[in-house]
Amino acid sequence: MIGAVLLVVGAVALYRQHAAPSPDRLLSQARRELARGRYERAEELARQTLSREPVNSWARILAAEAAINQQKTGAALKYYLEVPDDGSPAFVAALFGAGEILTHRGQLTNAEMKLRAALSRDPHHALAHYRLAFILGITGRRWESVPHLVELVRTRQYNAEHLLMLGDTERLLNEEQLLQSSRDAVPDDPLPKLGLSRLAVARNDLPGALALLKEVVAAIPAETEAQVRLGMLLLENDRPDEFVQWHARLSPASDEHPEIWVVRGRRALQSSELRVAARCFWEAVLRDPDHRLANYRLGQTLNELHEPDRAAPFLKRAEGLQHLATIMDGLFYDRHDALSMHKAVLLAEPLGRIWESWGWARLALADDPSLAWAAATVRRLEPRLSPDLPRTLPDHNPALQADLSSFPLPNWTSRGAPVVRQTGESPLASRIRFENIAEEAGIRFVYFNSPDSGTTGARLFETTGGGVAAFDFDGDNWPDLYFTQGCRWPEGTHSTEFRDRLFRNLGNGRAADVTDAAGLGDERFSQGVAAGDYNNDGFSDLYVANIGPNRLYRNNGDGTFDDVTRGANVRGNSWTTSCLIADLNGDSWPDIYDVNYCAREQAFSRLCRKEGLSRSCSPRAFDAAPDQVYLGRGDGTFEDVTESSGIDVPNGYGLGIVAADFEGTGHLNLFIANDETANFYFVNETLSRRGGKLNYSERGLLSGLAFDADGLAQACMGVAAGDADGNGLIDLFVSNFYNESDTLYLQQPGGLFADMTRQAGLRDPTFGPLGFGTQLLDADLDGLPDLVLTNGHIDDLRAIGQPYEMAPQFFHNVGSGKFVELTGPSLGEFFAGKYLGRGLARLDWNRDGREDFAVSHIAAPAGLVVNRTATDGHFLALQLRGVTGERDAIGATVHVTAAGRTTMQQLTAGDGYQANNERRLVFGLGGAASVDQVQIRWLNGTEQTFADVPADAEYVLIEGRPELARLASP
């Protein structure tokens, strides 16, 4: 009986075994349910499979996928982690899946470990490469991410995002929300802190970044990227003892990271160890030929070592890398822009980056199969592709063509010379004060930028105006003011509702609007303005820069002007922002230079979106407009010599300009401040000082003026020119964009410029504001030029926490090229206000020897800000008159010696952003009541000297005359 029962039970079990679905069948059913979106049922079937076959790895993976779709990430992670380590594709898939979940849960270190494990078993796992590149990117380890991105392109499993990350490895990947949530989720995980430290640096929160990096390095000393960032911050925060200690603790393995060598190079530059710096930057380029800053700094250093031939390839590569990064920035916002893709192709291939050139062409062809250039590029490059083709071809690495291994390596056993910072201020600084007297003087002017109330965000043309010129139009020795005005858009209505205005200085503190009487009042959308005597008749003429045709107004000498644009053959029809009048080829007849911005077609209607808001577009969304130059013929007409002069250089979105004899050659060079692209520095190579074919050579890279100290192009606007550090050479201060510090370029012997912004104390206080007009002026007459700066955003982004109107700034020069920002009520109410400041011009309105300034504001009254500083300093004021050269004497250099100290000033033109300074040099003499010697070098090379000149007076210095003509006191 018992045997029979057992027989029946066995038969039932056998029946159930054959009647129940097999594990394979259960798994197939689970897959179908997953595809249909029945996730709970799919997970149940996967679990049934596991109950029948506990070692079935694919069942665990399917269960994990079903759990993920039910928002059960904890369960999914458990499934993945239970997949046995058998080296199978299923285990690799489980590692990747676990890495994905850990990433989203903020466990970045654990996620990275899983992804690296997956790649160790399957080196071609595309998704693992991408996700690991993402983690490396957001935590600031962009150099480490490059091989993973290249692998995606090699295996043809890439998209535009991957090429963008590869194309500009210095772009900051801003995933602050993920990093912060990751830090909250796993407080002990150092990787989120590493990423947050990069964002803190981008916000200029250096103490916060330093604290985070110290935590990271304490947790993982072998993390080279953290060590790099820590060393850089110690360097920039002037902690030499800590830097040397940090350097001594580095492991030998860190030498393989190019950024370590960049930090060493920058330290060597600080201590003037040029050969050590060159060696360090060379080591960096050896390891990463696409490191923009290393190439740039190596080229600059070799130039300083008088090795220009060796420097040239590195500077050329730095320029190409910057141009490619610029294109990447545009594609970041429009990833289907065929024109930008074509530019990327044309830039990447000469850099030896074949994968990227081919990759962009292939993406463009996928978007539009009719693109002939894309099809031709793919056909041409396909045969060159191979699995072992590197990101950058070795023969395109300039470091392999220039052996600097004989240059010394760093040997730092002591702190060396720290960077000296001025922390205090002179006793006179607290007495500096200004007062805005525009209203009481009768200067009532508001720049109208034709805002469109029907759209959110500013159209690009609404953001740039307007300009101001300080000049003496009637010859009474009192400076007058001309403000440019916008108009209702679109242009062409010939309305007189908004017009430029001319204010005559009456000499009693008051001004009179004489626009109509003078025959002026341009009604177009005006930008900058230049004053100059283009026909050398003794009266200053006006040239007005417009969006559209510019205008030349001839001063008739009787208080009136005539529009002579057509007859003068000045045919500009671009968007001209700034301009100048000066003799560029040395024939004694002044010429005209137009700084042009971007193409007009879409710039007046198109808006872009960023951070979820409509806003003005980057100029790079449009083609750059080439500058123009017109040579004066001497008969009142001009010849357009743009194409033959060497200034027709691409990729310049020009905003500011200064013309000066920077190098003492007797020729005027030109500095052009470009928006978001490399600045131009045109060196005048005209063969004769007395006229000849105008010939310029662009040397922004060679001079050090193209980029900032980090090798980056900035959004440059205003320019102030003068001897900021007292070494007898002209320096340049350039104002830049929001959250991008302004830049002080100090000229070194030999015509090179060095970005000394941080050393001058100007980086941090100028980092937040968006700067426009700026000038150097000696507020307290101590012989040291101070800085004044007007600020204001281009877009109203207060919704995302950015300021709109901004306060102007004043920086007191405390000597040796160091500045201290002055703030507080003692400086005057004007500096406590907030404006959308634009053009700013220097003048001495009341002729008291203390320089003042006039400033134009968008949608707010213009300012006439006079200097009320209670100073004991004496002054010497000079007006210059050329005879054999142009009457305005642009480029003439004056050295004044008083009480054993010599100071230098030069009469420059252009004067920065949409501005024209009064043609008057004011020398602060401090306590010296007389001048021992005045020495002038005219642009043609002749020199004159005058001795024992009484101070506190104004003189006219006429070329060739043996004496100074003293003007009557006001």
Side-chain angles (χ1 to χ4, degrees), residues 661-673:
D661 184 8
F662 286 95
E663 301 170 26
T665 61
H667 292 300
L668 296 179
N669 295 348
L670 301 170
F671 173 79
I672 314 295

Side-chain angles (χ1 to χ4, degrees), residues 93 154 265 393 447 643 808 912:
R154 279 199 187 106
L393 299 179
Y447 187 85
E643 293 185 2

Side-chain angles (χ1 to χ4, degrees), residues 739-760:
N739 275 358
E740 180 182 80
S741 82
D742 299 343
T743 309
L744 177 65
Y745 295 102
L746 295 184
Q747 188 178 175
Q748 315 297 309
L752 297 177
F753 291 80
D755 177 353
M756 303 296 285
T757 311
R758 185 179 293 280
Q759 293 87 335

Side-chain angles (χ1 to χ4, degrees), residues 270 419-422 755-762 817-818:
Q270 277 195 3
V419 176
V420 178
R421 286 187 183 269
Q422 180 74 36
D755 177 353
M756 303 296 285
T757 311
R758 185 179 293 280
Q759 293 87 335
L762 292 169
K818 308 295 192 299

Side-chain angles (χ1 to χ4, degrees), residues 579-580 657-659 719-720 774-775 840 842 908-919:
C579 53
L580 63 77
I657 184 171
V658 165
V719 191
T774 181
Q775 300 294 343
L840 186 150
R842 185 181 67 232
T908 61
D911 300 329
Y913 185 80
Q914 302 190 7
N916 190 100
N917 293 333
E918 181 186 6
R919 298 289 176 243

